Amino acid sequence: GTRLLVRSVFNLRLKSIRSIGDVHAEMSDYLDEMEKCLLLETDENQVTDIELGEFVLHMHGYLVLLDYSAPLLPTRSSEAIHNVMLDLFSVHQQGPEHRKIETDRQVQILRLVKEKHRDLLRYV
């Protein structure tokens, strides 16, 4: 009963009728796009405002879906992903003199997020 109510509230918050599995897949797409942004940045060793904006847009999309999914997921897992995403964003704001080292570190952090995100499949 409670699980059905939580799923109904989840669908209302998203304003669509989608399965949590579909939402998880969309969240995975956001993470893949974020990784793509970082890897492209690594090649040029500079980040433009447009690239930063695209990265933040994908991060925001992921976090919004994570927040809406929170009632269906363990609080501890959601909070862990949030904290790692904050670390990822704070590293992304470093100055250009640290960009290459920090970009490599960001890719590692993002892969940690992706691993934690895959673990969420146990709960959907």
Side-chain angles (χ1 to χ4, degrees), residues 57-70:
L57 180 66
H58 295 307
M59 179 183 275
H60 179 264
Y62 179 85
L63 290 173
V64 166
L65 291 177
L66 182 64
D67 285 343
Y68 284 150
S69 305

Side-chain angles (χ1 to χ4, degrees), residues 3 7 10-11 14 17-29 65 69 72-73 117-118 120-124:
R3 196 157 183 86
R7 283 189 184 265
F10 169 78
N11 287 331
L14 279 180
I17 306 296
R18 295 189 289 177
S19 72
I20 188 70
D22 290 344
V23 173
H24 187 273
E26 184 177 344
M27 293 167 72
S28 295
D29 292 343
L65 291 177
S69 305
L72 303 173
L73 303 172
H117 178 74
R118 275 190 296 275
L120 293 178
L121 276 175
R122 292 183 296 178
Y123 305 104
V124 297

Side-chain angles (χ1 to χ4, degrees), residues 96-110:
E97 63 276 2
H98 298 104
R99 183 59 61 201
K100 175 66 174 135
I101 294 169
E102 298 304 332
T103 300
D104 293 341
R105 186 168 156 225
Q106 285 178 299
V107 170
Q108 291 173 345
I109 293 171
L110 185 58

